[in-house]
Amino acid sequence: MFIRMIAVLAIVIAGTAPALAKRIALVIGNGAYEHTVQLPNPANDAELMATKLRGLGFDVVAGQDQTYSDMRRTVMEFAKKAYGAEIALLFYAGHGMQIGGQNLLVPIDAKIEDETSLDFETISVDFILRQMSKDVKVQMVFLDACRDNPLARTLARRMGPSRSGNVGAGLAEIKVQETGGEGSVIAFATSPGDVALDGEGANSPFTSALIRHIDTPNVSIQTVMTRVTGDVFDETEKRQRPWVNASLIGEVFLNKQAVAAAPTTEVASLGNTATTTPQAPAVNQAAVNTATQNTISWEREKLVWETVKDSNNVADYKSYLETYPNGTFAGFARNSIKRLESQSQVASLNPAGTAPQTGTGIVATLPDPQKAIPGTQATEDSLGWNRTARREVQARLNLSGHNVGNPDGAFGPKTRAGVAAWQTQNGIVPTGYFTAAQYAFLTTQTAVQYTAYAAELQRKQQAAAASRSAASTRKTSTTKSRAKNNGGSMNPAGAAFLGGVVGGIIGGAIGR
């Protein structure tokens, strides 16, 4: 739980920069899971974040691919150092889960076979937050742990219908007002209860954006998180929106740059004791004006981007680029232009009334940019296919001309080779694994064929069922016929035996 923390603003107006206040960070990235889906990015995320924070003056306690015992030791080392810190920061990337509203971080050796496992195989976020509450002025929490977690689904199944509702998707909201925090920033990679993307590059979308902005000079952490949210929302095509809850009494800067001022004046910065009698600082008006102008420019650029980002008109994005050729959203604008121009090219190749081309490297029916992202085991696992769905995918691959054998729901080497061949034929990176967009394209591409296939399959199943029913009827009829011919339900030998027994009983009765 959080405690009350006060954010003291960093205002450095001196000829030389003073010593940095005490900053402690705990950075953990878990991806090499032993009993569930491995994640490719968390170790990279943690390493890059640790480097970035060290550059900002943090004493970093870091760990990668940690077991339960490793994590306990790492948290203990962090707790000892965090006592009395001006800023204590937690960054975690990896699998996480929520049970009954409690957020849990998952070590790489966790099995989580039942509810008992939770206390002995996971690390509670609340437990770590308690270690950050000992005379700490500013608390910062960044959790990139909202990924889809198969262990949570397994636990939910074993808990049964009455209790499985306690297992939620993603992570649960942490409400600052409940803990009395007044100097805290809490950030999730996506909204509470939602699942975040691991990303297709070396780092997740959330961590990439956070690293890109967190050390921006003279920008408050509040503004940093606004930019991070915007970047992730755009980069994920609006599928992921980071969630941030901040309770600060003023702006907090992680990279406050010194501004020239009168040499005899020094003001405390995050706990530094003033060495001279405080005086009214000599303000560098030019610097103030520049900072104000930068803020206005940023807000203006953001407003322009908000206006054009959902446009389907290439001219709107080009207009943004003319005004901000090196703007924050320039890359996204260029990508949107490419996407719209590609759509236009497809439309010209497939005019209205003609069938879309397939197998030519042009994904005509799905202009989704995600189709260009290579598929991985993680992207395919996120689709949540059961055996029936996998059989359908295999059938569709067969219908697209890539024979993967009899649809049995098992994705072996032959199926993977068929997926890769289909991807190559359609101009997609041939990894042998699907993304959501690629599966959607395959579904659209084989819609007509699969409808006919499904109808034929249903006809055969109905015919087989009718045949079995007729055979069962014939068997029943034969059995009844035999029973009738044998004098009811008794065969001749049985009748003779019963007759002898009855005759003996009657004879004996007469003799007496």
Side-chain angles (χ1 to χ4, degrees):
M1 296 175 61
F2 293 100
I3 68 167
R4 229 174 239 98
M5 297 164 288
I6 300 176
V8 182
L9 303 183
I11 308 173
V12 181
I13 312 177
T16 59
L20 287 172
K22 183 179 179 181
R23 298 176 170 187
I24 308 296
L26 172 62
V27 178
I28 296 177
N30 287 340
Y33 285 92
E34 300 171 5
H35 306 290
T36 188
V37 177
Q38 296 193 352
L39 301 173
N41 292 336
N44 298 331
D45 293 342
E47 182 177 5
L48 198 56
M49 180 58 69
T51 300
K52 182 70 68 170
L53 292 175
R54 289 189 182 102
L56 290 171
F58 280 84
D59 181 359
V60 177
V61 179
Q64 297 179 15
D65 293 328
Q66 295 207 308
T67 64
Y68 177 80
S69 298
D70 294 335
M71 286 187 69
R72 295 282 297 190
R73 285 193 295 267
T74 303
V75 173
M76 182 173 67
E77 180 184 353
F78 166 72
K80 292 179 178 179
K81 292 186 175 183
Y83 187 87
E86 301 293 339
I87 301 178
L89 184 150
L90 165 63
F91 173 87
Y92 174 82
H95 276 313
M97 58 197 302
Q98 60 158 309
I99 307 294
Q102 182 183 25
N103 294 317
L104 305 172
L105 308 183
V106 183
I108 64 169
D109 59 345
K111 292 183 179 180
I112 312 183
E113 297 176 335
D114 51 40
E115 288 185 80
T116 304
S117 304
L118 298 175
D119 289 332
F120 299 97
E121 295 183 12
T122 66
I123 305 292
S124 166
V125 173
D126 285 347
F127 169 73
I128 299 178
L129 294 178
R130 286 198 299 273
Q131 314 313 312
M132 301 170 65
S133 66
K134 299 176 176 63
D135 195 26
V136 175
K137 292 184 178 179
V138 178
Q139 243 181 356
M140 296 185 181
V141 179
F142 303 97
L143 296 177
D144 198 353
C146 312
R147 297 164 169 88
D148 184 37
N149 186 359
L151 290 176
R153 295 196 298 272
T154 300
L155 177 62
R157 287 195 298 269
R158 291 176 178 173
M159 290 173 68
S162 62
R163 292 183 52 75
S164 61
N166 289 331
V167 183
L171 296 181
E173 179 180 0
I174 299 175
K175 297 181 179 179
V176 175
Q177 58 267 29
E178 291 182 354
T179 60
E182 293 179 355
S184 57
V185 176
I186 308 165
F188 289 173
T190 191
S191 301
D194 287 345
V195 175
L197 303 175
D198 193 57
E200 302 298 334
N203 301 100
S204 76
F206 176 72
T207 298
S208 296
L210 184 59
I211 289 172
R212 184 160 55 244
H213 294 292
I214 197 169
D215 63 345
T216 305
N218 296 322
V219 172
S220 69
I221 191 64
Q222 295 95 320
T223 301
V224 165
M225 294 316 301
T226 297
R227 297 180 181 181
V228 169
T229 299
D231 281 8
V232 174
F233 191 60
D234 288 329
E235 288 175 11
T236 60
E237 298 293 316
K238 302 180 182 179
R239 292 184 297 162
Q240 179 176 334
R241 184 196 297 272
W243 178 88
V244 182
N245 195 355
S247 178
L248 299 169
I249 63 172
E251 293 183 303
V252 175
F253 299 85
L254 294 183
N255 191 14
K256 186 71 175 179
Q257 298 293 326
V259 180
T264 58
T265 302
E266 183 176 321
V267 178
S269 172
L270 277 177
N272 291 329
T273 302
T275 57
T276 61
T277 302
Q279 302 176 17
V283 179
N284 187 329
Q285 191 60 46
V288 172
N289 291 340
T290 300
T292 302
Q293 187 61 42
N294 288 341
T295 301
I296 294 174
S297 297
W298 160 246
E299 294 297 333
R300 182 181 295 120
E301 179 189 354
K302 187 167 65 171
L303 179 61
V304 171
W305 177 249
E306 289 291 330
T307 302
V308 307
K309 69 178 184 179
D310 295 324
S311 174
N312 289 320
N313 191 334
V314 172
D316 291 337
Y317 294 102
K318 288 184 176 180
S319 177
Y320 167 82
L321 288 174
E322 289 174 0
T323 307
Y324 304 101
N326 299 311
T328 303
F329 308 104
F332 303 125
R334 294 186 181 95
N335 289 338
S336 297
I337 291 173
K338 290 179 182 178
R339 172 173 56 83
L340 292 171
E341 289 179 342
S342 175
Q343 287 181 250
S344 177
Q345 179 185 11
V346 169
S348 65
L349 290 172
N350 297 283
T354 64
Q357 298 182 28
T358 59
T360 62
I362 300 175
V363 184
T365 56
L366 270 184
D368 187 343
Q370 291 295 313
K371 66 178 177 286
I373 297 177
T376 65
Q377 180 73 61
T379 63
E380 190 171 282
D381 289 341
S382 69
L383 297 174
W385 287 335
N386 57 22
R387 199 171 186 87
T388 300
R390 288 175 176 271
R391 284 197 292 267
E392 178 189 328
V393 172
Q394 290 173 317
R396 289 184 182 277
L397 287 169
N398 287 337
L399 294 170
S400 69
H402 303 282
N403 183 20
V404 298
N406 182 48
D408 58 3
F411 281 16
K414 191 169 184 178
T415 298
R416 293 299 175 195
V419 175
W422 175 83
Q423 290 169 328
T424 299
Q425 185 183 53
N426 289 279
I428 300 170
V429 179
T431 64
Y433 293 91
F434 280 100
T435 65
Q438 291 173 18
Y439 171 57
F441 175 51
L442 174 65
T443 300
T444 303
Q445 189 184 57
T446 58
V448 176
Q449 300 96 316
Y450 189 77
T451 299
Y453 166 82
E456 177 64 16
L457 185 63
Q458 184 178 20
R459 186 191 66 76
K460 290 181 177 180
Q461 290 173 343
Q462 291 173 344
S467 177
R468 288 193 298 270
S469 177
S472 177
T473 301
R474 287 194 299 271
K475 182 178 179 180
T476 301
S477 177
T478 300
T479 301
K480 289 181 178 180
S481 177
R482 288 176 179 173
K484 182 177 181 180
N485 293 336
N486 292 333
S489 60
M490 189 173 299
N491 59 35
F497 173 77
L498 183 58
V501 172
V502 172
I505 292 172
I506 295 174
I510 294 173
R512 286 197 295 270

